[in-house]
Amino acid sequence: MTRILVVDDEPQILRALRINLRARRYDVDIAGTGAAALKAAASHPPDLVVLDLGLPDIDGVEVIRGLRGWTAVPIIVLSGRAGSEDKVAALDAGADDYVTKPFGVEELLARIRAVTRRLGTSTEAVPALRIGQHTVDLADHSVLRDDGTEVKLTPTQWSVLEKLLRHPGKLVSQRQLLQDVWGPEYQNETNYLRQYLAQLRRKLEDDPARPRHLITEPGMGYRYRP
């Protein structure tokens, strides 16, 4: 059973999500503060986190960074902050998706299903691939620098990277990436792609400002250049 940690300082939201998620056979833990969320995640590691940014003790972005220090668990941000800067900050910190309050439960459940599907992404055998000073093994979900250091990627970062690496040299359109990684309802969210490609370049390219392998084709899509 998938374990979901729901973090929010509004008791009515915690109660409503716990009821709805349990009704759909999810195992649910709840936390009302950032500190409680980090403690709960360490004690009972979740399979997915639904996280409010406006917590009373620790800003939600800092909670994301705290989780990302040791886990790649998918994180869906649930927040009343609608500004693009807040979305960018959350995605840059390692969030996988962003739902703005007020929200519909069915929409959130669809986002959860989409993230859960990404966890089951196929990893049929492919040779190890090179990006700069890194070796990427899709089957093992591992990235190693030439000095042996492991580079950690979030599940969504893996999904985006895999879509490109499985089509070396070929253009993968924005629409195809958004549909395959996030789902058909995300086909206009091109800002997601910009953020995730920027994250991948910072982690994998020798010079992220002048990428040699993860290439943007303006207005069309992206390409992995071996």
Side-chain angles (χ1 to χ4, degrees):
M1 182 179 294
T2 301
R3 178 186 293 273
I4 298 179
L5 172 61
V6 180
V7 187
D8 200 296
D9 64 339
E10 298 183 45
Q12 63 271 30
I13 289 181
L14 289 178
R15 183 166 56 252
L17 289 181
R18 179 167 56 186
I19 291 171
N20 278 279
L21 290 170
R22 285 181 174 172
R24 289 160 175 83
R25 306 184 68 82
Y26 291 105
D27 192 5
V28 183
D29 293 326
I30 60 174
T33 66
L38 293 172
K39 182 178 181 181
S43 301
H44 303 286
D47 299 304
L48 184 145
V49 176
V50 176
L51 173 69
D52 181 26
L53 291 185
L55 299 172
D57 58 340
I58 306 173
D59 187 80
V61 172
E62 294 305 316
V63 176
I64 296 171
R65 293 192 179 109
L67 291 170
R68 284 290 172 257
W70 62 274
T71 179
V73 62
I75 300 172
I76 298 177
V77 166
L78 184 63
S79 178
R81 303 177 187 177
S84 61
E85 290 184 3
D86 294 303
K87 293 183 179 182
V88 169
L91 292 170
D92 274 346
D96 295 276
D97 204 348
Y98 195 111
V99 179
T100 303
K101 294 179 180 178
F103 65 95
V105 172
E106 291 302 324
E107 178 192 0
L108 178 60
L109 289 169
R111 306 280 184 113
I112 290 172
R113 290 193 296 271
V115 170
T116 303
R117 285 197 300 271
R118 294 203 289 276
L119 291 177
T121 299
S122 172
T123 55
E124 298 172 3
V126 295
L129 300 166
R130 295 283 297 174
I131 298 180
Q133 301 179 45
H134 304 83
T135 299
V136 182
D137 189 325
L138 292 176
D140 288 342
H141 268 205
S142 66
V143 179
L144 292 179
R145 290 179 59 87
D146 289 344
D147 63 6
T149 305
E150 183 178 4
V151 178
K152 293 183 179 180
L153 300 181
T154 69
T156 303
Q157 288 170 350
W158 269 114
S159 294
V160 173
L161 183 64
E162 180 176 4
K163 294 299 178 184
L164 296 177
L165 267 57
R166 286 188 179 277
H167 301 87
K170 296 182 179 179
L171 174 69
V172 182
S173 70
Q174 294 177 345
R175 179 180 293 272
Q176 182 180 343
L177 271 173
L178 288 166
Q179 177 167 312
D180 289 352
V181 176
W182 283 274
E185 64 272 28
Y186 291 80
Q187 290 185 6
N188 294 322
E189 300 288 349
T190 55
N191 60 306
Y192 277 32
L193 293 177
R194 288 193 295 271
Q195 292 300 318
Y196 278 96
L197 264 295
Q199 293 169 13
L200 288 168
R201 287 168 181 147
R202 285 197 294 270
K203 290 186 175 184
L204 301 177
E205 291 276 7
D206 293 341
D207 184 354
R210 297 176 178 82
R212 297 179 55 197
H213 302 283
L214 303 177
I215 307 301
T216 299
E217 301 290 354
M220 296 186 293
Y222 299 88
R223 188 190 310 271
Y224 164 59
R225 181 185 295 159

